[in-house]
Amino acid sequence: MSKQIIITGLLFGIIAIVLGAFGAHGLKKHLLPEQLISFETGVKYLMYHGLFLLALAKFDFIPSTALSSIYWLVVIGALFFSGSIFLLTTESLIGFSIKKFAWITPIGGTLLIIAWILTLWNALKANF
């Protein structure tokens, strides 16, 4: 599981860097300033959670079942949160409305919060 977590964290980092560069250079002329800020928020949260996954892979105080749950909460949460922000901010460029799926963003954020809380819970229970 550790290798899978590390690879996912690294992929999140790569995607965040690519999308961050794309947003800064490719989208600047096509989006309003507030849309760019939202897009950058999606990039930041994807990077934050890529780094979180890299740290998570090295946390030896989390039991494997909890580790798996936290991993999937982060993956689904980041994809829902950041992915929906990317789609919502660029919907004028992709040609169809994503607004009916805007409810996915807060669900993604909630899953990320739960992942952090579960990690904290396991840290509090651990004997360091």
Side-chain angles (χ1 to χ4, degrees):
M1 176 109 228
S2 183
K3 183 176 181 180
Q4 179 180 352
I5 295 171
I6 291 170
I7 289 171
T8 305
L10 293 170
L11 285 172
F12 277 14
I14 292 166
I15 293 167
I17 292 167
V18 169
L19 289 177
F22 178 64
H25 302 291
L27 294 177
K28 198 172 202 176
K29 297 175 188 170
H30 303 285
L31 298 180
L32 298 171
E34 57 270 10
Q35 290 173 306
L36 274 176
I37 290 169
S38 291
F39 191 88
E40 289 171 4
T41 298
V43 168
K44 288 177 193 174
Y45 274 77
L46 189 61
M47 179 59 83
Y48 296 154
H49 288 88
L51 295 171
F52 177 72
L53 288 173
L54 293 176
L56 184 67
K58 295 302 177 185
F59 291 162
D60 59 356
F61 60 86
I62 301 177
S64 61
T65 54
L67 185 67
S68 179
S69 296
I70 294 166
Y71 169 75
W72 285 110
L73 285 165
V74 171
V75 169
I76 295 167
L79 292 176
F80 278 19
F81 184 81
S82 292
S84 64
I85 288 174
F86 299 144
L87 292 173
L88 286 165
T89 56
T90 60
E91 70 180 358
S92 62
L93 301 174
I94 58 178
F96 57 93
S97 178
I98 309 295
K99 287 194 185 352
K100 61 183 170 186
F101 299 106
W103 55 270
I104 292 173
T105 310
I107 290 174
T110 302
L111 295 176
L112 294 172
I113 292 167
I114 292 168
W116 282 86
I117 291 170
L118 283 176
T119 305
L120 173 62
W121 176 254
N122 281 278
L124 292 171
K125 291 188 327 183
N127 293 322
F128 293 107

